[in-house]
Amino acid sequence: MDSGLLSEDGSAMGRWDQPDHVAVEKLRWKVKMLAKTGRYGAAEFWMDKIACLSDYRDLNDFFDMCEYLLLDGQHAACQSLIESRGLHKTKPEFAYLLGRSHFANGELDDALKALTGYVPSSQTTQTHLSDYTALEEDDQMSIDGDVMMRNPGESFSVSTGHDDIYLSAIQVLRGKIYDRLDNQQMACAAYLQALDLDPFSSDALDYLTSRHAIQTNERKRLMDEVVPRMKLGDDPGEHSLPEAIYLSKLQPDYNLRGEDKVAWRKWEHSAFALNPDFLLTKAEFLLGRRDYSAALQCTNHIMKLKPFYRNALPAHISALVHLDRRSQLFDLSHRLTLLYPGEVETWYATAAYYFICGGTDMTRRYLAKAIAMDKSCGYVWLLYGHSFSREREHEQALAAYFHAVDVMKGSSFPYLYIAREYVRTNNFGLAEKFYGEARDLARDDPIVLYEVGVMQIKKSEYVHQFKLNLVYCLH
């Protein structure tokens, strides 16, 4: 006898647990809308029912269900579902999701283990495997049941290119983990690998450029090899939007009026004239040229468009310090303390306020708090060094500046301040060495040339005074 149901007129009806494709797609759309409104618990509830229809063999549905568990804060459930099937060892999207779950829980070692436990398929492009050669090889767990995909063209298979996106996401997450573990070298390597895998990983580029973590040769490699892969059109001579954005971050070039010198870009006369990220690039360039007033105009405009925009706060705070805007900096630090007490920029702003007010002890107290949150913020180490330099505590100042060198390999500022400290202690040999390092990184920077001139004057005066003292002692 047919187990199906009969309608009132006696016609056959479909079973409630075997809905047709249209009904399932309508339910999927409803789940997406629940997730869009931040109701992840409800989205997970219904996605679980959809996944159950295929006995949890449709990896698209299974992935969405696990992700909603993660977003709903149910980390243990998310981790158990992925690990029980061993999907994190064969599917990059599940390795990334498992790593995200552990990272959100603060389980850094477990997150790193989840990411390095993934073994790429032999179909993966060989150029993308260099970072995996030294990974741990764990025993691969078997997957219960066969795997089903709704549409091969929409699946996570290698042929669709989705793997590169998730492999890049894995590298970005590894970079964040190594950054938390105070291993900047591995963090930078992971972020660079993320850009090689997916040039649109702007979060990786932002870390490398905003923290001056890469040197000139690496910037050039990114411009020559990564940026050209971002073209959106077929014309090889046509510059695309992603190219303009990335090149403005990798190689900003402005005239003395603060106008873009790149003829084809000229973003001030484009739809991006008031875009916060373009304005930030310009502000950082102006700070490097010591045009603090113009830089502050840019960052003030950014703060109006995006209040307390995290990426722009370091530049904004630096401009306020150099212009001695105490009241504005006090107001900023106070509001940040109320709104974002867990962010390193909050305590950097607070320390900066006490620095310009002369409160050395309070400056170092809040800088220590910022360093405890993020040891890779070079601008925090620079201010820490300034607090010692102002008190003529040269050894402590040099220690802070050298730490800034470790995390700001592409910036001339740490080398400049180290050389300045050596000039103050009349160690001109080492001063010349570090001024040379600064000039290699910023050959056209007039401030570096000015400091070298000051050193030469002081050096000649020191030698002259030494000769006078020697003559006096001999007589």
Side-chain angles (χ1 to χ4, degrees):
M1 183 175 179
D2 188 4
S3 61
L5 301 180
L6 298 178
S7 63
E8 293 181 357
D9 61 1
S11 60
M13 292 178 57
R15 285 182 55 90
W16 64 271
D17 60 345
Q18 296 176 1
D20 60 27
H21 176 73
V22 174
V24 174
E25 288 304 316
K26 285 182 178 180
L27 189 54
R28 284 198 182 100
W29 178 85
K30 186 62 179 178
V31 168
K32 298 293 183 186
M33 296 308 297
L34 288 169
K36 270 190 173 184
T37 56
R39 298 155 68 188
Y40 301 117
E44 188 277 328
F45 175 86
W46 290 110
M47 185 52 70
D48 173 72
K49 307 309 174 283
I50 295 174
C52 187
L53 293 172
S54 66
D55 195 22
Y56 301 98
R57 289 178 293 155
D58 187 318
L59 293 191
N60 296 282
D61 292 337
F62 190 75
F63 178 86
D64 288 344
M65 182 185 72
C66 293
E67 186 173 33
Y68 296 146
L69 283 171
L70 168 65
L71 295 172
D72 197 41
Q74 301 185 56
H75 301 292
C78 174
Q79 295 162 16
S80 178
L81 285 170
I82 295 173
E83 291 174 339
S84 64
R85 290 172 170 252
L87 291 170
H88 60 296
K89 294 185 179 292
T90 57
K91 298 291 181 182
E93 62 271 22
F94 286 97
Y96 171 65
L97 195 60
L98 182 60
R100 264 179 72 189
S101 180
H102 283 299
F103 183 76
N105 257 358
E107 302 161 352
L108 302 184
D109 291 336
D110 289 334
L112 199 57
K113 184 178 179 181
L115 298 177
T116 55
Y118 164 67
V119 180
S121 166
S122 60
Q123 300 177 60
T124 306
T125 307
Q126 290 299 316
T127 55
H128 294 166
L129 295 179
S130 59
D131 196 46
Y132 291 96
T133 54
L135 298 183
E136 301 177 12
E137 293 189 0
D138 299 328
D139 293 333
Q140 184 172 341
M141 297 175 63
S142 61
I143 302 177
D144 298 331
D146 297 328
V147 175
M148 238 173 56
M149 291 289 184
R150 286 194 306 274
N151 185 339
E154 297 175 354
S155 70
F156 294 108
S157 62
V158 175
S159 61
T160 64
H162 279 79
D163 266 17
D164 282 352
I165 295 175
Y166 280 102
L167 290 173
S168 178
I170 285 174
Q171 293 302 323
V172 170
L173 186 54
R174 289 181 70 203
K176 292 179 180 179
I177 295 169
Y178 283 124
D179 190 40
R180 289 269 189 96
L181 295 173
D182 197 24
N183 190 336
Q184 273 67 52
Q185 184 177 0
M186 290 296 291
C188 290
Y191 283 122
L192 287 169
Q193 183 76 2
L195 283 168
D196 287 334
L197 288 161
D198 180 14
F200 288 86
S201 301
S202 60
D203 45 358
L205 182 70
D206 182 67
Y207 177 94
L208 296 170
T209 56
S210 65
R211 303 200 178 202
H212 303 279
I214 52 175
Q215 296 181 327
T216 305
N217 59 336
E218 197 60 58
R219 283 177 179 262
K220 187 176 186 306
R221 187 190 74 81
L222 291 175
M223 288 189 291
D224 294 342
E225 299 178 12
V226 174
V227 172
R229 292 164 51 202
M230 304 183 69
K231 287 186 179 297
L232 299 177
D234 297 328
D235 186 357
E238 180 183 353
H239 296 286
S240 65
L241 171 63
E243 282 184 284
I245 294 172
Y246 270 32
L247 288 175
S248 70
K249 293 173 73 70
L250 288 167
Q251 195 178 36
D253 195 8
Y254 303 89
N255 58 28
L256 293 178
R257 295 188 301 274
E259 298 172 342
D260 196 344
K261 290 168 63 175
V262 181
W264 63 266
R265 196 165 55 204
K266 294 292 182 184
W267 62 266
E268 296 94 339
H269 306 293
S270 71
F272 295 91
L274 299 179
N275 183 270
D277 291 304
F278 276 93
L279 286 173
L280 176 58
T281 300
K282 181 177 178 180
E284 290 172 341
F285 183 87
L286 293 169
L287 281 175
R289 289 288 178 90
R290 279 69 171 180
D291 191 349
Y292 303 120
S293 296
L296 185 60
Q297 287 180 1
C298 291
T299 57
N300 277 337
H301 197 80
I302 294 171
M303 293 302 155
K304 290 179 181 178
L305 295 170
K306 287 186 177 180
F308 311 112
Y309 184 38
R310 185 184 302 170
N311 290 359
L313 280 173
H316 187 57
I317 294 167
S318 179
L320 291 173
V321 169
H322 283 100
L323 295 172
D324 199 23
R325 300 291 179 86
R326 302 188 184 191
S327 59
Q328 193 173 347
L329 190 53
F330 173 80
D331 180 65
L332 175 66
S333 61
H334 178 68
R335 296 177 71 183
L336 286 173
T337 303
L338 295 175
L339 295 171
Y340 307 109
E343 299 296 333
V344 64
E345 291 83 7
T346 296
W347 305 111
Y348 173 61
T350 307
Y353 168 73
Y354 282 107
F355 177 79
I356 61 177
C357 292
T360 303
D361 291 338
M362 295 297 289
T363 299
R364 293 174 189 167
R365 176 185 299 179
Y366 288 112
L367 285 174
K369 192 168 185 177
I371 290 170
M373 291 180 175
D374 189 349
K375 295 182 177 65
S376 65
C377 282
Y379 50 84
V380 175
W381 286 106
L382 289 179
L383 186 57
Y384 203 50
H386 296 341
S387 70
F388 288 110
S389 178
R390 187 165 61 181
E391 301 292 322
R392 300 286 178 177
E393 299 178 32
H394 301 297
E395 293 298 325
Q396 291 91 331
L398 285 170
Y401 291 145
F402 274 115
H403 202 107
V405 167
D406 292 337
V407 297
M408 301 176 70
K409 298 183 183 297
S411 174
S412 63
F413 289 124
Y415 296 103
L416 185 65
Y417 296 131
I418 289 171
R420 188 182 291 175
E421 287 301 311
Y422 280 127
V423 169
R424 289 182 175 182
T425 58
N426 297 320
N427 193 334
F428 300 110
L430 286 174
E432 288 180 353
K433 174 187 174 182
F434 285 99
Y435 276 136
E437 296 279 359
R439 288 192 67 183
D440 289 340
L441 291 167
R443 190 162 296 277
D444 298 329
D445 190 345
I447 299 300
V448 176
L449 300 176
Y450 168 79
E451 292 288 350
V452 171
V454 170
M455 179 192 68
Q456 295 296 343
I457 294 173
K458 186 173 182 181
K459 182 179 178 181
S460 62
E461 292 176 350
Y462 177 79
V463 171
H464 178 67
Q465 187 62 43
F466 176 79
K467 289 180 179 179
L468 290 178
N469 291 342
L470 183 61
V471 170
Y472 177 80
C473 292
L474 291 176
H475 290 80

